[in-house]
Amino acid sequence: MRIIETIAEMRKLRRESRRISLVPTMGFLHQGHQRLIAAAANRGGLTVVSIFVNPLQFGPDEDYDRYPRDLARDLVTARSAGADVVFAPAVSEMYPAGVSTTRIELGPITQVLCGRTRPIHFSGVATVVAKLFHIVGPSFAFFGAKDAQQVAVIRRMVRDLNFDVGVVRVPTVREANGLACSSRNRYLTDEERERAGTLFRALTAAERLYAEGERRQAALIDAVLTMVESAAITPEYVEIRSWDCLDPVGATLDERPVLLALAARIGRARLIDNVLLGTDLAE
Ligand code: PAF
């Protein structure tokens, strides 16, 4: 496996390669990332994993400085999952003029759900992903379904700016109690980690109600809230929106697929999770 730290070297390799699959990450790789890398490797061609903690997507009071980092361990994980190349640039390589740089703004899709409390987050994500697409030149890029809003934002950017990149959504990998794998799970104590399993149990309870025919939006959201609050977790939001554009949906759902998404703070961690209702994309 090759390790590349400069944009010039990455570009040179890109020119020599026929087809590239990209897995953008911020490192501290876990089983969810391993699944993304394996999915990318399955497509054939060159599998490139980028590891870059992107300052542009963190708000001033967020965890940029303490975000977990372990490049040596990540290299072992990436190699064993099937990566051919790790692209791990320094901040000064990606943002030589500092972080007051050109930004991609996508409008309302970035201001709902997580965007309400993280107003600059998705513009930072879109900007760094656009840069990675230009630098690495992938045919396909792989993102985890846990980050449903991120997937929606990147698909919108790809469509609006005519990137020739297929965005592949890979199912969420979960710990034994249902908690979605995330680098931020490392902020949880053992007790919090156990309690955090309630988030997915609550989502699957609503999923069951939906399968039994419940279509009232409020009833589905209430089912989630009741379970989450009974575990002494105060959610930041529990919402149902259209799964692709994140538009609001009616009080009574029709048969179109929707996203049931939540965010909650447990201890020092802010966790997100979701399920899709009414689609065979649902897990
Ligand atoms: O999902 C992540 O880890 C990041 O948001 C991404 C897509 C690598 C951009 O920094």
Side-chain angles (χ1 to χ4, degrees):
M1 189 182 74
R2 191 160 154 188
I3 300 153
I4 295 182
E5 293 180 345
T6 67
I7 293 171
E9 197 187 335
M10 189 62 240
R11 283 206 162 123
K12 184 163 174 290
L13 180 64
R14 178 188 88 191
R15 281 193 291 271
E16 292 161 1
S17 309
R18 215 167 36 87
R19 198 174 70 232
I20 294 179
S21 289
L22 171 66
V23 181
T25 81
M26 296 206 300
F28 211 69
L29 303 180
H30 52 65
Q31 285 172 316
H33 294 115
Q34 283 174 297
R35 183 145 171 190
L36 296 177
I37 298 168
N42 263 341
R43 291 265 164 165
L46 194 75
T47 301
V48 177
V49 176
S50 64
I51 297 182
F52 179 66
V53 184
N54 172 37
L56 225 55
Q57 68 190 70
F58 290 79
D61 301 324
E62 295 182 9
D63 56 346
Y64 175 68
D65 288 328
R66 68 185 170 101
Y67 194 84
R69 294 160 169 90
D70 189 343
L71 185 59
R73 201 192 65 155
D74 285 347
L75 295 179
V76 176
T77 307
R79 186 199 309 263
S80 69
D84 300 307
V85 176
V86 164
F87 174 54
V91 172
S92 55
E93 178 74 3
M94 288 295 275
Y95 300 116
V99 290
S100 44
T101 177
T102 305
R103 280 178 190 249
I104 295 189
E105 299 290 349
L106 288 103
I109 195 171
T110 64
Q111 299 308 316
V112 298
L113 300 176
C114 293
R116 238 176 266 123
T117 50
R118 307 189 73 193
I120 60 150
H121 175 67
F122 291 107
S123 138
V125 169
T127 304
V128 80
V129 170
K131 283 167 72 73
L132 289 168
F133 284 178
H134 285 305
I135 295 164
V136 178
S139 304
F140 294 96
F142 295 75
F143 298 90
K146 174 177 70 72
D147 301 306
Q149 187 168 11
Q150 173 164 279
V151 175
V153 165
I154 289 163
R155 285 201 165 135
R156 172 69 63 86
M157 177 186 79
V158 161
R159 190 195 71 188
D160 289 356
L161 298 183
N162 308 99
F163 280 98
D164 194 7
V165 180
V167 175
V168 183
R169 174 188 170 282
V170 178
T172 303
V173 177
R174 299 182 179 281
E175 299 187 1
N177 70 351
L179 174 63
C181 290
S182 162
S183 305
R184 289 189 167 100
N185 291 353
R186 92 145 349 197
Y187 299 149
L188 297 167
T189 63
D190 289 347
E191 184 276 321
E192 289 165 348
R193 207 176 187 114
E194 209 30 63
R195 203 151 40 91
T198 309
L199 299 178
F200 185 57
R201 282 198 293 279
L203 291 171
T204 47
E207 210 171 28
R208 268 196 306 278
L209 284 178
Y210 183 91
E212 287 160 15
E214 181 60 83
R215 292 294 181 273
R216 290 169 302 159
Q217 186 182 167
L220 293 163
I221 290 176
D222 270 358
V224 176
L225 283 174
T226 306
M227 278 185 73
V228 168
E229 284 167 359
S230 72
I233 300 169
T234 311
E236 187 180 295
Y237 66 76
V238 179
E239 281 193 48
I240 297 182
R241 290 185 165 260
S242 71
W243 80 280
D244 47 356
C245 299
L246 310 184
D247 289 331
V249 290
T252 304
L253 305 180
D254 56 28
E255 295 311 309
R256 275 175 293 196
V258 290
L259 174 78
L260 168 57
L262 59 74
R265 252 175 215 290
I266 303 184
R268 292 194 312 144
R270 180 181 181 278
L271 304 174
I272 57 172
D273 205 349
N274 68 80
V275 289
L276 296 177
L277 304 176
T279 163
D280 55 11
L281 285 174
E283 296 161 47

